[in-house]
Each structure stands twice: as structure tokens, then as C-alpha cells.
Amino acid sequence: MKQLLFIVVLCSYLSGISQSKKAYLKQNRFDLNSETFNFPQKDFNIIGFGAYHGSAKTEDVELKLLQSLTKDGTIKYYLPETDFSVAHYYNEFMKTGDTLLLKDLVIQNGMHVRQERTIEVYEKWKTLKRLNDKLPKPNRIKILGADVVSNYKYSSKHILKLIDESFKTEVLSELREMVKIDTTSYARGELSYAHGVLDRLIKDYEVNTSAYNTKIKDLKVFRHIIDGIKNSMAKKQREPSIYDNYLFLKEHYNFENQKPFMRIGFWHLEKSREGKNANPPFFTKLIENEIYPKDKVISVIGYFTESEVVWNELYDDNGNYTGYTIEGGFGIGDYEKEYFRGIQNLKNTKLSDKTLFRLNSSNTPYANNEPDLIDIIMTDEKSNSEAVKGMPTIDFLDYAILISNSKASTPIYELDHL
């Protein structure tokens, strides 16, 4: 009898918490489809948005956030999941509208995250350019990259852009010829031709620094690119690289007065470690190292329901693209064998297929010791449940966006078949 009474009381308690959260969410929800949508917070040092990769509506959601945050100049810099030199050439696209350049940027940057090598990402950039062009010039955003170098094509092009064409060395001639012919894969790794050329260039620069420095247009940027290539060759861990690269950007572009918006996979945006001994995500490193106070770091994480993600690109034995696969269960975070604790409350209170929920208001029930939207319940594999047990949701994130009925993204190579 006592055991039965305990179960009844526990169920009643849990039901009360759920109802409290539903009532709270109804008071703190926003329809991203609304023409009057305005992001609720403006007072922050950095804001980031991320979700599982590979679903089409993620790009629509990001555009809604960017449109709101750029119209009044709240953010100045946009940091997609890309390295410094790729970002430099995304700025070229934003100026010229060159869609051949854009397509190649999406393909080359997709060497890092293949689920982002899609038509939807390509179209997102075209829309972002149109939005940016309509802004007053002081409010227009600049693209910056803090991620690791995952492909050497645009680092090579950027280096040559910074060195006076009249300056000639044997290895510079190799690099110029490689970029001109443009037939190598620019892949990382010691077997890569581009790797060998850049390795020889770095060694030549380090031996003949004075001669090079007189021919380099922006020495600080040049050295940053070289350091990024060296770190990729040394296989430096990604999170420390992102952190160090961000600090360079913060100083070089004066983030103290100009706020950045970052788009990256959502783990990097978590504001606490998933357990005391876990590796710190990028946002956690900013907070732990006192770069910014925790309440000035805003994490916005997207969640899917009734959606699909692109999974694999398919190739024949000759390396020719032949198609792709999608997932509609595993890989979206709302599946009977893999789902986020507490996602049902978002589903029960959504306003549309793109609903933003503010979780960090002063009266939030997401400050209690339940890791909703962080704890991943899994039936067939080990989850993070023990690591995050007893941790509040708002230790990790500030906003959740429920994305519903999103089809899988489509690999950009399908453009050739349209």
C-alpha cells in the first residue's frame, strides 16, 4: 500500500511539473513565421544557433533569426561553421552575387560537414545576400570564420591574394600553379598534394620570414591563416582551435562593440559541460575562461519533430555521385529509440512549424534539476543521462526552437540533375 501511495504521489508531482512547464511555455513562445517576430533579447555578447545537421527548415529558421537581429543592427558579424578563408570568400559572394563561387564554397566547406553540403544551404546564402543588401550600409553583416581548416582550397587562394604577385619563390610558383589548374582535391592529410605544397610554403616562410613580410599586404591575417593550416596539419583538436580562432576574431574585429551571431552544431553551443569531467563545448570555454559572463552568452538550439535529415551521399566505384539517403527516425532527436527528455512539452505548445521558446525568463521552471532538452533517452545505445543527471536545462541553453515537418535537405550535387 505504501509503495502504491508513493507511486501515486510521484506521478501527481511529475504531472504538476509538466503542467507548470506547459503553462510557462505558452507564455514564452514566439511564432517565427509571424511578420512581427522580434527576437526577445538584445543585450548579449554572443548568440549562437544550432541543430542536428541535414534538415531543410533549419536554414529557414536561421534566416528568421538573422532577419530579426540584423534589421536594427543588433548583430554585426555572422560566423557560419567555416574557417577564416572560406568566410573571406563568402564575403566575396555577398558583394558580387557570384553563384558559381557560392556553389563551390558550399561544396568545399561541406568537406567538413557533409550534411551541410546542400541545396538548402546554397539557397540560404542567396536569400541572406538579398536581406543584407536591403539593410542600411552600417547594419550590413560581415562573414567571419572561427572553425578549423578542413579543406585547403580557399586558404591557398587567400594566401596568394595577400602576397604581392611580383614576389616569386619556387614554392610560391607551385602554389600559384596548383590554384590556377585547380584539379587537386585540396584535401587534408600527408598524401594530399595541396598538403605538401602548403607544408613547403610554411617552411620556406619560416626560414625567409623577412623577405616574405615585405611582400605581404596584411601580415596579421596572413599569419593567422598560416597558423590555422599548421594546426590542421598537426591535427589540433577542434574545440580548442575554434576557441583560439574566436579570440583572434574578437580582438581583430572589436567584438566588444559589435555582436557576433554563430551558426554551428548545437553541442558547441552548450553553456555547461555534460558532466564534470567532460570536454567543454566552445560556449562553455567562453564562460569558464571569463571571456563573457554566462547570462551574456545566448544559446538557441533547434529540435525536430516529424522530420527527416539527409544522411549519406552515394558514389559509384569511380567516385561519381549517384544519389543520397535520408533518415526519418534516428538522427532527428524525436524517435522512440532516441529522443530528448521533455520534447513533448514543446510539441504540445507549439504555435507553428517554427516555434521559438524562451527558457531563461526569471520565473522559468527550466531552472529546476531536470535536464529537459539535453538528456537524450536512448534504448539501444549509451546516452548522456548519467552525465547530465540533476542539471538544469538553462545551465545549457536559453532558447529552444521546435521545427516540425521538415523534409531532409538535398545534396547540392542534385542541382546538376534539375
Side-chain angles (χ1 to χ4, degrees), residues 239-252:
E239 220 63 12
S241 294
I242 294 173
Y243 176 76
D244 290 342
N245 291 338
Y246 180 83
L247 294 187
F248 169 83
L249 297 176
K250 178 177 179 291
E251 177 186 355
H252 193 65

Side-chain angles (χ1 to χ4, degrees), residues 14 19 88 96 105 169 227 264 280 297 324 397:
L14 293 175
Q19 290 301 317
H88 174 82
T96 66
L105 285 166
T169 68
D227 286 344
I264 197 167
V297 176
Y324 62 102
L397 67 150

Side-chain angles (χ1 to χ4, degrees), residues 141-377:
I141 57 174
K142 183 178 181 67
I143 317 302
L144 300 175
D147 218 321
V148 297
V149 178
S150 59
N151 178 277
Y152 293 131
K153 179 170 184 175
Y154 286 96
S155 297
S156 299
K157 289 170 67 71
H158 201 178
I159 284 171
L160 293 177
K161 192 174 181 179
L162 291 168
I163 297 178
D164 193 303
E165 291 181 4
S166 65
F167 185 52
K168 301 185 186 300
T169 68
E170 182 177 343
V171 69
L172 275 175
S173 295
E174 281 188 85
L175 184 64
R176 287 173 177 135
E177 186 67 12
M178 180 182 76
V179 169
K180 179 181 177 181
I181 296 174
D182 196 24
T183 56
T184 187
S185 70
Y186 298 98
R188 298 197 311 179
E190 293 181 2
L191 297 178
S192 162
Y193 177 74
H195 174 108
V197 172
L198 288 169
D199 186 46
R200 290 192 291 277
L201 174 68
I202 290 168
K203 289 174 181 175
D204 192 43
Y205 172 68
E206 290 174 344
V207 171
N208 302 290
T209 303
S210 297
Y212 272 85
N213 284 354
T214 61
K215 302 296 183 179
I216 294 171
K217 298 169 188 175
D218 190 328
L219 191 56
K220 191 172 183 180
V221 165
F222 178 84
R223 286 176 172 167
H224 180 67
I225 297 169
I226 292 296
D227 286 344
I229 295 170
K230 289 173 68 174
N231 288 335
S232 77
M233 290 178 173
K235 299 179 181 178
K236 181 178 177 181
Q237 290 186 346
R238 187 180 177 202
E239 220 63 12
S241 294
I242 294 173
Y243 176 76
D244 290 342
N245 291 338
Y246 180 83
L247 294 187
F248 169 83
L249 297 176
K250 178 177 179 291
E251 177 186 355
H252 193 65
Y253 293 99
N254 189 22
F255 285 178
E256 298 302 324
N257 299 315
Q258 309 284 357
K259 299 172 186 176
F261 175 104
M262 175 173 270
R263 163 71 186 277
I264 197 167
F266 79 74
W267 178 79
H268 306 277
L269 305 177
E270 292 182 9
K271 295 165 61 172
S272 289
R273 301 171 186 240
E274 293 190 7
K276 292 181 180 180
N277 298 320
N279 290 328
F282 168 60
F283 267 22
T284 300
K285 288 177 72 69
L286 291 178
I287 295 162
E288 289 182 350
N289 292 323
E290 299 183 348
I291 305 301
Y292 301 129
K294 191 166 188 174
D295 65 338
K296 301 297 184 184
V297 176
I298 302 299
S299 175
V300 183
I301 293 180
Y303 298 86
F304 296 105
T305 185
E306 299 178 353
S307 297
E308 297 173 330
V309 292
V310 64
W311 203 247
N312 287 316
E313 296 169 350
L314 304 177
Y315 297 86
D316 63 21
D317 293 340
N318 296 318
N320 298 311
Y321 172 81
T322 59
Y324 62 102
T325 64
I326 64 175
E327 287 281 353
F330 180 76
I332 71 162
D334 185 29
Y335 171 51
E336 61 184 6
K337 295 184 178 182
E338 180 201 36
Y339 62 92
F340 285 95
R341 180 187 298 277
I343 195 172
Q344 190 63 45
N345 288 326
L346 304 186
K347 292 159 67 174
N348 290 340
T349 54
K350 68 177 184 176
L351 289 169
S352 73
D353 64 329
K354 305 179 192 76
T355 304
L356 173 73
F357 298 93
R358 181 173 184 173
L359 306 179
N360 66 359
S361 293
S362 59
N363 62 334
T364 180
Y366 286 93
N368 64 21
N369 295 328
E370 293 178 338
D372 279 14
L373 305 176
I374 288 295
D375 182 6
I376 306 172
I377 311 300

Side-chain angles (χ1 to χ4, degrees), residues 43-152:
D43 183 18
F44 53 78
N45 293 121
I46 183 173
I47 184 169
F49 166 65
Y52 279 176
H53 298 292
S55 203
K57 288 185 182 179
T58 308
E59 314 312 322
D60 299 332
V61 166
E62 184 186 13
L63 284 168
K64 298 287 187 183
L65 295 172
L66 286 168
Q67 186 172 17
S68 173
L69 291 165
T70 55
K71 65 185 178 184
D72 58 1
T74 299
I75 61 168
K76 181 64 178 177
Y77 296 110
Y78 173 46
L79 280 65
E81 198 165 355
T82 191
D83 69 55
F84 184 84
S85 293
V86 170
H88 174 82
Y89 283 93
Y90 269 126
N91 282 308
E92 288 294 311
F93 162 74
M94 295 291 278
K95 292 175 185 175
T96 66
D98 183 346
T99 54
L100 292 178
L101 170 63
L102 174 61
K103 182 181 177 183
D104 193 61
L105 285 166
V106 173
I107 289 172
Q108 299 298 331
N109 197 50
M111 300 293 179
H112 177 55
V113 184
R114 295 198 173 193
Q115 287 171 298
E116 299 294 308
R117 188 159 60 187
T118 66
I119 292 174
E120 286 76 14
V121 170
Y122 173 77
E123 293 295 337
K124 184 267 297 290
W125 278 100
K126 287 164 56 176
T127 303
L128 182 58
K129 172 175 167 46
R130 290 193 294 269
L131 291 173
N132 203 46
D133 287 346
K134 292 178 182 177
L135 293 173
K137 283 190 177 181
N139 289 0
R140 291 179 185 172
I141 57 174
K142 183 178 181 67
I143 317 302
L144 300 175
D147 218 321
V148 297
V149 178
S150 59
N151 178 277
Y152 293 131

